[in-house]
């Protein structure tokens, strides 16, 4: 029997209690619990949250193990408080068959730092032309429920419609990277004053919004589930509000970097700030924060996109888009949403654990994620010290890549410990 007593912790940031974990489950919650015969951990009033769930992680394996592996990426996830991540399909080979998704799923189990739910590609080789074998990926050991060509938009409306119809058979969801390709040929950054000044080709908001509007209509037409990846503009928030108002089955995510950073940072020409969709304006940032607060945007997802040095430390035009984000996600959310009074810790738990788990259908089955902190539930937990600040150091990351845009920033909400089914993956802020 393995047992832990978490003394003086505040579930969802509320009243302090003791929580006992026995054999992978929450066995007891109360005040003044006896030490028992397991290990005792003094929480000193830290916030206890359900283990975080990421809907959008790039683990780069197979194919780019020089940038990240399942082992290094999931360790970074655990250090960030995550107990489950969805691994995006743009690997090499692409995760468009049962064989590849099962490989990624097995690597996740072997690493053991957090659960890995592979995302299946919507189209063969992310080519946007031929639908991949979604059904065999759904039936595989990986039990794929989220399908995405992320990095590429499923721009063919007829193919998107058929994919939305197809995943209904197994309660799947299409996670769309909303980027109209003809409107973004050669795009390098947000289209606006700064792109004109810098002479970089712009990526206009309408290229995202046009696809979101189309896909909401398609999802409604075939009565299926659509999830919108990394929403980045104020107009997108408005469209989602409209679609939800109609009662359509549409969900959306926002990244931590879009909640904090703006396209002003491109003035440095430092490609660490190059990402797709690009950093936008302060008006967009404000609308995204409001959308996340009022539930128009359902959840936060990291879009953790590690890149090898030679792919990132190039001139702006040649550098690959993407930022790491697993270890900083909770700190950025605390900074932008909790410290500003927009979200309570309970709402953070919804937006970073229970809701993403439900969208990915990880919330039931033999090893569910995103469950509440309650007796009998699996002990997937993270312990966060809201007052303890830390400075982001790209060299100190567990990720194999260092392309964080937050280097040198002081962030609140240090993750003290993470538990995966009662077993610590992180203790004292370090790998257990
Ligand atoms: O910036 C990005 N990087 N956006 C994407 O959609 C893909 C991702 C990647 O794979 O690097």
């Amino acid at each position: 029997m393995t047992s832990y007593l978490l003394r003086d912790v505040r579930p969802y940031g509320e009243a302090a209690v003791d929580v006992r974990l026995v054999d992978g489950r929450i066995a007891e919650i109360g005040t003044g619990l006896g030490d028992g015969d397991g290990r005792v951990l003094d929480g000193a009033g830290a916030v206890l949250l359900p283990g975080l769930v990421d809907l959008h992680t790039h683990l780069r394996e197979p194919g780019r193990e020089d940038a990240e592996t399942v082992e290094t990426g999931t360790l970074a996830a655990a250090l960030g408080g995550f107990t489950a991540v969805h691994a995006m399909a743009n690997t090499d080979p692409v995760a468009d068959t049962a064989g590849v998704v099962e490989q990624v799923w097995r690597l996740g189990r072997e690493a053991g730092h957090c659960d890995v739910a592979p995302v299946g590609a919507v189209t063969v080789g992310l080519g946007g032309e031929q639908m991949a074998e979604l059904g065999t990926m759904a039936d595989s050991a990986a039990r794929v429920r989220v399908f995405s060509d992320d990095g590429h938009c499923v721009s063919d409306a007829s193919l998107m419609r058929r994919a939305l119809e197809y995943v209904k058979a197994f309660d799947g969801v299409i996670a769309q990277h909303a980027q109209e390709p003809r409107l973004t040929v050669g795009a390098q950054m947000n289209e606006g004053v700064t792109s004109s000044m810098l002479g970089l080709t712009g990526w206009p908001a309408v290229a995202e919004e046009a696809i979101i509007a189309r896909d909401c209509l398609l999802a409604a037409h075939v009565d299926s589930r659509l999830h919108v990846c990394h929403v980045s503009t104020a107009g997108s928030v408005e469209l989602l509000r409209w679609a939800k108002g109609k009662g359509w089955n549409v969900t959306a995510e926002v990244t931590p970097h879009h909640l904090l950073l703006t396209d002003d940072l491109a003035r440095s020409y430092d490609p660490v700030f190059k990402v797709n969709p690009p950093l936008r304006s302060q008006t967009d940032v404000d609308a995204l924060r409001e959308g996340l607060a009022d539930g128009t945007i359902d959840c936060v997802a990291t879009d953790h996109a590690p890149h090898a040095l030679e792919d990132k430390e190039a001139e702006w035009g040649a550098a690959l888009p993407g930022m790491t984000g697993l270890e900083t996600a909770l700190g950025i959310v605390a900074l932008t949403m909790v410290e500003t009074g927009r979200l309570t810790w309970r709402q953070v738990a919804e937006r970073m654990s229970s809701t993403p788990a439900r969208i990915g259908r990880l919330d039931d089955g033999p090893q569910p994620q995103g469950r509440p902190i309650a007796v009998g539930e699996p002990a997937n937990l993270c312990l966060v010290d809201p007052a303890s600040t830390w400075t982001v150091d790209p060299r100190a990351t567990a990720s194999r890549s260092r392309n964080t845009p937050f280097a040198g920033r002081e962030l609140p909400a240090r993750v003290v410990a993470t538990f995966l089914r009662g077993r610590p993956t992180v203790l004292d802020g370090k790998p257990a």
Side-chain angles (χ1 to χ4, degrees):
M1 184 177 87
T2 54
S3 138
Y4 275 84
L5 181 71
L6 313 183
R7 206 175 268 305
D8 188 21
V9 294
R10 293 186 297 125
Y12 306 104
E14 293 161 13
V17 290
D18 304 332
V19 176
R20 194 186 313 281
L21 320 179
V22 179
D23 285 343
R25 292 193 177 272
I26 299 173
E28 230 181 326
I29 300 178
T31 49
L33 298 187
D35 277 358
D37 44 17
R39 198 168 153 188
V40 181
L41 225 134
D42 182 11
V47 173
L48 188 67
L49 297 176
L52 309 182
V53 175
D54 194 13
L55 264 177
H56 194 143
T57 308
H58 296 274
L59 291 178
R60 302 294 188 224
E61 192 174 0
R64 284 309 300 265
E65 291 82 355
D66 57 327
E68 196 75 286
T69 63
V70 173
E71 163 70 30
T72 57
T74 54
L75 182 56
L79 287 165
F82 291 88
T83 52
V85 299
H86 287 78
M88 271 298 170
N90 62 341
T91 49
D92 183 12
V94 169
D96 58 3
T97 61
V100 178
V101 292
E102 286 190 349
Q103 179 193 0
V104 173
W105 177 74
R106 285 216 176 83
L107 287 168
R109 284 173 56 111
E110 281 163 26
H113 302 304
C114 71
D115 289 348
V116 174
V119 173
V122 179
T123 69
V124 174
L126 309 175
E129 288 183 353
Q130 186 190 342
M131 201 171 9
E133 291 189 9
L134 311 187
T136 60
M137 290 190 271
D139 288 344
S140 74
R143 303 208 54 75
V144 177
R145 289 295 176 273
V146 182
F147 296 88
S148 181
D149 274 4
D150 180 67
H152 300 264
C153 182
V154 180
S155 62
D156 180 322
S158 161
L159 209 159
M160 185 64 182
R161 174 210 168 133
R162 282 193 290 119
L164 284 164
E165 280 180 310
Y166 198 86
V167 296
K168 286 172 71 174
F170 37 84
D171 197 22
V173 63
I174 304 291
Q176 175 70 295
H177 173 118
Q179 175 178 5
E180 209 296 311
R182 296 291 305 149
L183 290 172
T184 50
V185 174
Q188 292 293 330
M189 67 169 294
N190 180 43
E191 181 180 292
V193 178
T194 312
S195 65
S196 312
M197 282 181 58
L198 299 181
L200 293 172
T201 307
W203 193 138
V206 65
E208 176 171 303
E209 293 155 7
I211 293 292
I212 294 178
R214 181 201 77 175
D215 287 353
C216 288
L217 292 165
L218 286 175
H221 184 60
V222 300
D223 190 24
S224 185
R225 278 208 299 143
L226 169 72
H227 178 73
V228 184
C229 296
H230 41 52
V231 168
S232 71
T233 78
S236 297
V237 179
E238 255 183 78
L239 285 165
L240 289 163
R241 211 170 265 135
W242 160 74
K244 289 189 169 203
K246 296 268 190 193
W248 298 343
N249 217 337
V250 175
T251 58
E253 70 192 31
V254 61
T255 70
H257 48 269
H258 288 111
L259 286 173
L260 182 65
L261 308 177
T262 66
D263 63 353
D264 249 8
L265 290 161
R267 290 174 194 270
S268 65
Y269 283 107
D270 183 344
V272 81
F273 300 116
K274 181 172 174 179
V275 66
N276 189 18
L279 301 176
R280 304 284 187 187
S281 70
Q282 190 60 48
T283 309
D284 295 305
V285 168
D286 293 342
L288 294 169
R289 290 181 182 187
E290 195 186 316
L292 183 64
D294 72 18
T296 303
I297 298 173
D298 302 81
C299 62
V300 175
T302 67
D303 197 4
H304 175 80
H307 286 302
L309 226 57
E310 69 269 23
D311 291 324
K312 204 60 189 169
E313 291 195 356
E315 62 183 278
W316 184 283
L320 295 183
M323 304 169 160
T324 58
L326 287 166
E327 288 163 88
T328 46
L330 191 64
I332 302 291
V333 171
L335 181 73
T336 58
M337 303 300 293
V338 181
E339 294 199 340
T340 57
R342 288 187 175 88
L343 289 182
T344 62
W345 284 110
R346 191 173 275 278
Q347 291 170 316
V348 170
E350 278 167 24
R351 285 152 180 77
M352 296 185 78
S353 179
S354 55
T355 300
R358 194 177 63 246
I359 293 169
R361 296 298 189 250
L362 299 183
D363 57 337
D364 60 8
Q367 298 195 321
Q369 290 279 349
R371 302 287 309 159
I373 301 173
V375 171
E377 294 288 355
N380 297 317
L381 298 164
C382 85
L383 191 60
V384 185
D385 184 348
S388 165
T389 59
W390 55 290
T391 303
V392 181
D393 176 0
R395 290 163 307 176
T397 180
S399 169
R400 194 161 273 184
S401 296
R402 295 177 176 183
N403 51 305
T404 171
F406 305 116
R409 278 194 195 248
E410 192 172 86
L411 296 183
R414 204 172 64 89
V415 173
V416 180
T418 309
F419 288 85
L420 178 63
R421 288 181 284 279
R423 180 176 57 80
T425 55
V426 173
L427 277 179
D428 293 327
K430 299 183 189 72

